[in-house]
């Protein structure tokens, strides 16, 4: 259970949020395991809205070094790697709330379902490849920008010039190919190619007509991530980069970004 309250500016409304989450695992023999869970979200910015989000993942070991997975979830069950202690786990829990927008004067939550079928093959003790096909469906797609809010549907950040906006519906199929390599005992590298949909601008929008100018298009992307630690210094590093073949207003393959911890920054911990 996570409770959060944030004052949006000196004279702005307060954001109130509650998130309850439960997950478990069921093992069927030595080849099949089922991960299941659900989360309930309740947020308020003046008015309130709520959402119940179940999720499930079925893993089947096909043969030695081969595994197939079927996932139906709004986001991955767990990101790769260790959160890094109680403080980091608490910060991640606070960041687990989805994006909140304003639409027609009422708050709405970023929503989306991700269905994915993947097959993983271990090439050797230090390398593996994962091939995935998936479908993303979203009624409320997150669009973030910078500048002064141009209408009531632009949710302005009180502490910066950024805003959040409901980009509307987006539905797209996609595919992903991932290669993971263990470089040493402390360093790892990941390379990802994805073909997936994202909201892109059709034309320059009118002042308050941004949503109607956005359309879902299939785009290519390449991404890479390197992470590791220096044991004697007690310091961990991670850095990633992603290239997309066109202009986008929303994230392309957000499930894959969360699964493989793609963050366009150099992180030192």
């Amino acid at each position: 259970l996570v409770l959060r309250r944030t004052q949006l500016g000196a004279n702005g409304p307060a954001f109130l949020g509650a998130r309850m989450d439960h997950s478990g695992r069921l093992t069927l023999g030595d080849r099949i395991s089922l991960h299941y869970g659900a989360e309930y979200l309740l947020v308020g910015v003046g008015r309130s809205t709520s959402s119940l989000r179940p999720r499930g993942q079925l893993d089947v070991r096909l043969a030695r070094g081969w595994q197939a997975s079927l996932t139906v979830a709004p986001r991955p069950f767990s990101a790769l790697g260790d959160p890094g202690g109680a403080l980091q786990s608490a910060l991640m829990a606070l960041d687990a709330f989805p994006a909140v927008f304003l639409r027609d004067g009422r708050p709405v939550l970023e929503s989306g379902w991700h269905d994915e079928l993947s097959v993983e093959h271990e090439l050797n003790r230090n390398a593996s490849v994962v091939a995935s096909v998936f479908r993303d469906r979203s009624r409320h797609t997150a669009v973030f920008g910078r500048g002064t809010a141009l209408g009531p549907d632009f949710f302005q950040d009180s502490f910066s010039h950024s805003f959040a906006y409901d980009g509307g519906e987006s539905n797209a199929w996609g595919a992903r190919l991932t290669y993971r390599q263990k470089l040493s005992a402390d360093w790892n590298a990941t390379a990802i190619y994805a073909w997936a949909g994202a909201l892109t601008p059709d034309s320059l929008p009118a002042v308050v007509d941004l949503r109607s100018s956005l359309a879902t298009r299939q785009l290519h992307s390449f991404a890479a991530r390197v992470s590791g630690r220096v044991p004697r210094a007690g310091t961990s590093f991670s850095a990633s980069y992603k290239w997309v073949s066109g202009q986008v207003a929303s994230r392309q393959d957000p499930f894959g970004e969360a699964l493989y911890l793609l963050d366009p920054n150099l992180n030192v911990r």
Side-chain angles (χ1 to χ4, degrees), residues 101-117:
F101 324 109
L102 293 177
R103 186 162 182 175
D104 300 327
R106 61 181 180 86
V108 295
L109 290 166
E110 178 185 14
S111 63
W113 282 101
H114 181 88
D115 311 319
E116 178 169 319
L117 176 63

Side-chain angles (χ1 to χ4, degrees), residues 45 47-49 99-111 138-143 151-156 164-170 199 208-212 214:
V45 184
R47 301 167 64 180
S48 63
T49 185
V100 180
F101 324 109
L102 293 177
R103 186 162 182 175
D104 300 327
R106 61 181 180 86
V108 295
L109 290 166
E110 178 185 14
S111 63
S138 175
R139 292 182 57 196
H140 304 287
T141 307
V143 173
D153 285 355
F154 290 80
F155 194 9
Q156 187 78 47
Y165 184 79
D166 180 5
E169 292 189 11
S170 178
L199 289 179
V208 293
D209 199 25
L210 174 61
R211 191 174 298 114
S212 63
L214 299 175

Side-chain angles (χ1 to χ4, degrees), residues 65-217:
W66 290 87
Q67 177 174 293
S69 299
L70 176 63
T71 303
V72 179
R75 58 185 173 187
F77 267 77
S78 61
L80 301 177
D82 186 355
L87 176 60
Q88 188 69 15
S89 297
L91 293 174
M92 291 177 66
L94 288 175
D95 286 338
F97 286 91
V100 180
F101 324 109
L102 293 177
R103 186 162 182 175
D104 300 327
R106 61 181 180 86
V108 295
L109 290 166
E110 178 185 14
S111 63
W113 282 101
H114 181 88
D115 311 319
E116 178 169 319
L117 176 63
S118 63
V119 176
E120 180 175 3
H121 176 50
E122 293 182 1
L123 301 176
N124 52 53
R125 294 177 57 185
N126 297 319
S128 66
V129 62
V130 184
S132 308
V133 293
F134 54 86
R135 183 186 180 190
D136 285 317
R137 297 165 290 161
S138 175
R139 292 182 57 196
H140 304 287
T141 307
V143 173
F144 298 99
R146 292 180 60 85
T148 304
L150 301 177
D153 285 355
F154 290 80
F155 194 9
Q156 187 78 47
D157 182 3
S158 302
F159 306 101
S160 70
H161 296 292
S162 302
F163 63 81
Y165 184 79
D166 180 5
E169 292 189 11
S170 178
N171 295 277
W173 289 88
R176 186 189 318 112
L177 184 64
T178 305
Y179 176 77
R180 290 185 287 183
Q181 176 72 49
K182 189 176 182 64
L183 303 176
S184 67
D186 299 308
W187 291 88
N188 301 275
T190 305
I192 304 166
Y193 163 77
W195 176 76
L199 289 179
T200 64
D202 269 338
S203 59
L204 292 176
V207 174
V208 293
D209 199 25
L210 174 61
R211 191 174 298 114
S212 63
S213 71
L214 299 175
T216 302
R217 287 188 172 85

